[in-house]
Amino acid sequence: MELWQIIVALLQGLVEWLPISSEGQVIFFIYNFTTVPTEEIVSLVVWLHLGTALAVIVRYPKTILEIISLKDRRLLKLLILATVATAITAVPFYVLLKASITVFQGELLNIFVGLLLLLTAIMLYIPMRQSEETPLNIIEKKVTSREAILTGLIQGTSVLPGLSRSGVTVSSLLMQKIDKETALRFSFLMSVPAVLGILALEIITGAQIPTSVGLFDLAVVELIVFSVGLASMEFLLRLARRVSFWKLCLILGLIAVLFGLPAFL
């Protein structure tokens, strides 16, 4: 097993639940510091999300069982609506990404990722400003079918490297006056069918497991992603009310753009 595989696994597990694009950070690292063929990068990143999806299942076993056993039909309905909406935007974006990622060569790929990270920072800043301007007597809502569909459509765009899935979904829910704890929980749960769906698309389209990672190494990587992802999820839940991530996302986006500037020199 190579060092870069461990680093990639740690990145995925640590960043997945933060409003910083794990996909963008992992692609940035793989492209600049490994010899993985460009055409394999997207598939490798998709497979890395399996570990964090399993972390959600382990974190919310009772909720998952209630959904599967149809005890919580309301939540099941909301997740189905969100997943269908996600597919509407995610599938075309995913096909476009796999077909065109090789166009973004060298520093241009860094600029592409950096600009999307800056967009994520803006998305995170909007609900923060709204919460400052919202009167304290306004009661926050629970997730309804409308919020589930809209958030699902937005989640689909996070297939693009640089757009944080957690960031855009939580921001969408907060802007719709969903309370923070509910927004985080629903965002976590939304990720499971989204990840399983994109993996199914990989298999259906005949994509192979990247040759740059053997089966044993991939299993170890997924275990690292799962363990670190579970720990980082708990960390985020504890600090959600005290930590502002939009500034960090802004800094990372600027760094990525700066890394890409040599393309124009």
Side-chain angles (χ1 to χ4, degrees):
M1 190 170 187
E2 298 183 44
L3 178 61
W4 71 264
Q5 295 170 346
I6 298 175
I7 295 175
V8 164
L10 292 173
L11 275 175
Q12 173 64 27
L14 285 171
V15 180
E16 172 65 15
W17 311 121
L18 301 178
I20 306 165
S21 172
S22 61
E23 184 179 5
Q25 300 307 309
V26 172
I27 286 180
F28 180 83
F29 178 83
I30 293 175
Y31 190 90
N32 288 282
F33 301 105
T34 76
T35 58
V36 176
T38 305
E39 61 273 12
E40 289 188 1
I41 293 178
V42 174
S43 293
L44 178 57
V45 171
V46 167
W47 278 98
L48 287 174
H49 283 77
L50 179 59
T52 43
L54 293 175
V56 175
I57 295 173
V58 170
R59 177 61 178 77
Y60 296 103
K62 183 179 178 181
T63 301
I64 298 297
L65 286 175
E66 288 178 347
I67 293 172
I68 295 174
S69 63
L70 303 181
K71 288 185 178 180
D72 194 339
R73 294 176 182 271
R74 180 179 179 276
L75 182 55
L76 174 61
K77 174 188 174 184
L78 293 175
L79 289 175
I80 289 175
L81 290 173
T83 302
V84 172
T86 297
I88 292 174
T89 49
V91 172
F93 272 128
Y94 180 71
V95 172
L96 176 64
L97 179 63
K98 293 208 71 171
S100 62
I101 191 170
T102 53
V103 174
F104 299 98
Q105 296 294 334
E107 292 84 0
L108 291 179
L109 180 60
N110 294 327
I111 290 181
F112 177 66
V113 171
L115 291 176
L116 289 176
L117 281 167
L118 294 178
L119 178 59
T120 298
I122 294 171
M123 287 290 293
L124 292 166
Y125 184 66
I126 292 174
M128 186 191 74
R129 286 295 301 272
Q130 285 195 347
S131 64
E132 292 175 352
E133 299 169 1
T134 301
L136 295 177
N137 61 350
I138 291 182
I139 300 175
E140 295 176 322
K141 304 181 298 181
K142 293 184 177 180
V143 180
T144 65
S145 297
R146 178 181 176 277
E147 283 82 34
I149 292 172
L150 180 58
T151 306
L153 290 170
I154 292 173
Q155 177 175 248
T157 65
S158 65
V159 169
L160 296 173
L163 277 180
S164 164
R165 190 209 64 80
S166 176
V168 296
T169 54
V170 172
S171 294
S172 170
L173 291 166
L174 291 178
M175 285 188 285
Q176 296 175 83
K177 302 299 186 291
I178 306 300
D179 72 89
K180 184 175 291 186
E181 302 232 351
T182 300
L184 283 170
R185 177 173 175 267
F186 192 68
S187 174
F188 292 156
L189 293 172
M190 283 177 62
S191 70
V192 177
V195 169
L196 296 180
I198 206 71
L199 282 173
L201 183 61
E202 276 278 297
I203 295 171
I204 291 172
T205 56
Q208 302 293 321
I209 295 177
T211 57
S212 52
V213 183
L215 284 176
F216 176 78
D217 289 347
L218 182 61
V220 175
V221 166
E222 296 290 2
L223 180 60
I224 296 173
V225 172
F226 165 79
S227 302
V228 178
L230 189 59
S232 65
M233 189 189 306
E234 291 294 338
F235 179 77
L236 178 60
L237 288 169
R238 292 174 183 270
L239 297 181
R241 295 181 179 179
R242 293 181 291 169
V243 179
S244 175
F245 292 107
W246 75 269
K247 292 180 181 179
L248 180 57
C249 197
L250 177 64
I251 292 171
L252 290 173
L254 290 173
I255 290 174
V257 171
L258 289 174
F259 267 82
L261 289 180
F264 299 97
L265 299 179

